[in-house]
């Protein structure tokens, strides 16, 4: 059973009921994330945050989410600052750190590593990305964003049409999102990638056998023409043998305002897990889209806090106590969301 006390290692642990429950709690987190109210429901609790790969949003939003619920964060980043550099196993590290934490969020470059770590942990472990495999909390915040963007446009998740663009082979966010979308009915997925960076076969087959419509193409114009959401991704250069190899693909699919206007339906939502690669020669999402109101990338990153707060509240079983430990903020807050 997912939630109180459970690990979150793969998005496949979710069914529709669990998604609905999570989103309902995430909606209730808004006044806290938006600095209208403060809650201390996790006062005294400790999040162990272990990020062995670069991370900005995921690491900081996990930490902020825990702080916003009143808990504290103990953080380590990079192998060189832990005993793993001295040869300690993931199992032993987990055994030790779970003695110091109530819940652990972890990112690691090897596929399956977070699950291995969880076997040694005495507290729940949340996968913040294990190599090219999965990134379940990103998929949840992506789906939460898709749901809210579609609702603003009078649509629902069933019969959703989405294009995933870029590095579909190594992009763990699109792997988890594709698996999550299988919970809905009649989804249409356009997979736009260079032939060498296609979505893994088993994920395409899972989608197709679930009755969803899948189109694989290497044409950006074809892929983005008839969808509600364009979900762009970065070439995952850290998974390639060399930077030169990644350069073969970087900049292959660039969405900018001219292409958007020419090929997308009006009001197509633009998403990206971020970071977008803004270097010369990359620019998968051009900055000239910044004034386009359909660019949802920063609403998407904001939603990461709501969804991660909801996950902590459900895993630590305090979702129904949050308002009992709350008050209005007593400092000046003017932030536009
Ligand atoms: C993604 C990741 O790390 O998988 N970023 C994120 O967590 N928001 C995508 C990426 O790095 O390209």
């Amino acid at each position: 059973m997912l939630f109180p006390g459970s690990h979150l290692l793969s998005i496949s642990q979710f069914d529709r009921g669990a998604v609905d429950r999570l989103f309902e709690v995430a909606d209730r987190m808004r006044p806290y994330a938006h600095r209208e109210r403060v809650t201390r429901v996790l006062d005294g609790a400790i999040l162990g945050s272990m990020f062995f790969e670069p991370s900005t949003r995921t690491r900081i939003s996990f930490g902020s989410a825990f702080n916003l619920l009143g808990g504290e964060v103990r953080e380590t980043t990079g192998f060189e600052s832990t005993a793993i550099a001295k040869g300690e196993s993931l199992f032993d590290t987990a055994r030790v750190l779970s003695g110091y934490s109530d819940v652990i969020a972890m990112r690691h470059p090897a596929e399956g590593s977070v699950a291995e770590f969880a076997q040694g942990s005495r507290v729940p472990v949340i996968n913040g990305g294990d190599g090219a495999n999965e990134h379940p909390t990103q998929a949840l915040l992506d789906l939460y964003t898709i749901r809210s963007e579609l609702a603003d446009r009078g649509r629902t998740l069933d019969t959703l049409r989405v294009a995933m663009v870029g590095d579909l082979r190594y992009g763990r966010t699109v792997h988890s999102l594709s698996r999550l979308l299988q919970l809905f009915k009649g989804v249409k997925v356009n997979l736009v990638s260079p032939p060498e960076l296609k979505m893994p076969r088993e994920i395409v087959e899972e989608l197709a056998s679930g009755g969803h419509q899948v189109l694989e193409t290497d044409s950006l114009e074809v892929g983005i023409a008839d969808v509600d959401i364009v979900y762009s991704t970065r070439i995952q250069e850290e998974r390639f043998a060399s930077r030169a190899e990644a350069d073969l693909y970087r900049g292959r699919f660039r969405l900018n305002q001219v292409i958007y206007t020419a090929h997308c339906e009006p009001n197509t939502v633009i998403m990206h897990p971020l970071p977008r690669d803004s270097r010369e020669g990359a620019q998968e999402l051009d900055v000239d889209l910044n004034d386009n109101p359909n660019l949802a990338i920063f609403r998407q990153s904001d939603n990461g806090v709501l969804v991660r707060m909801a996950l902590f509240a459900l895993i630590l079983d305090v979702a129904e106590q949050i308002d009992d430990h709350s008050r209005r903020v007593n400092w000046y807050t003017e932030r536009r969301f």
Side-chain angles (χ1 to χ4, degrees), residues 53-59 107 128-129 131 134-135 138 141 170-173 231 233-236 238-239 272-276 284 308:
E53 274 195 327
S55 175
T56 306
R57 278 138 287 274
T58 307
R59 182 170 59 87
R107 168 173 289 187
E134 280 229 35
H135 193 346
Q138 180 70 41
L141 78 90
Y170 296 120
R172 55 192 170 201
T173 70
Y231 187 103
T233 64
R234 178 181 68 88
I235 299 299
Q236 307 283 294
E238 60 276 38
R239 314 265 175 248
H272 192 301
L274 301 180
R276 56 177 157 170
E284 61 262 7
R308 292 186 172 113

Side-chain angles (χ1 to χ4, degrees), residues 71-188:
E72 292 191 35
V73 184
R74 291 283 171 274
E75 185 165 270
T76 177
T77 53
F79 290 115
E80 63 290 346
S81 57
T82 73
I84 291 178
K86 299 179 184 175
E88 186 169 57
S89 68
L90 280 175
F91 184 92
D92 284 4
T93 305
R95 212 79 192 149
V96 172
L97 281 170
S98 58
Y100 308 154
S101 320
D102 296 282
V103 57
I104 294 173
M106 184 178 177
R107 168 173 289 187
H108 191 285
E111 296 188 16
S113 52
V114 182
E116 185 186 333
F117 180 91
Q119 284 177 358
S121 174
R122 294 169 279 169
V123 300
V125 174
I126 304 176
N127 184 357
D130 61 325
N133 184 34
E134 280 229 35
H135 193 346
T137 63
Q138 180 70 41
L140 292 164
L141 78 90
D142 289 342
L143 185 68
Y144 184 81
T145 305
I146 292 171
R147 185 190 70 147
S148 93
E149 298 289 324
L150 289 186
D152 291 346
R153 292 161 179 79
R155 295 187 59 98
T156 63
L157 287 167
D158 291 309
T159 73
L160 166 73
R161 303 168 303 157
V162 58
M164 298 185 195
V165 182
D167 184 351
L168 307 184
R169 177 174 178 189
Y170 296 120
R172 55 192 170 201
T173 70
V174 285
H175 299 166
S176 290
L177 183 58
S178 299
R179 294 206 154 109
L180 188 55
L181 291 179
Q182 290 167 29
L183 296 179
F184 299 88
K185 291 198 189 74
V187 174
K188 175 175 149 69

Side-chain angles (χ1 to χ4, degrees), residues 173-225:
T173 70
V174 285
H175 299 166
S176 290
L177 183 58
S178 299
R179 294 206 154 109
L180 188 55
L181 291 179
Q182 290 167 29
L183 296 179
F184 299 88
K185 291 198 189 74
V187 174
K188 175 175 149 69
V189 189
N190 291 351
L191 301 172
V192 184
S193 72
E196 301 85 350
L197 300 182
K198 279 183 165 179
M199 182 70 83
R201 262 324 72 204
E202 70 271 15
I203 298 180
V204 176
E205 278 158 23
E206 282 164 25
L207 275 166
S209 65
H212 305 291
Q213 221 179 302
V214 184
L215 169 79
E216 292 188 276
T217 174
D218 61 0
S219 161
L220 181 67
E221 290 74 12
V222 169
I224 64 177

Side-chain angles (χ1 to χ4, degrees), residues 4-18:
S6 55
H7 300 305
L8 173 50
L9 303 174
S10 165
I11 200 63
S12 309
Q13 291 171 258
F14 272 80
D15 58 20
R16 260 181 99 147

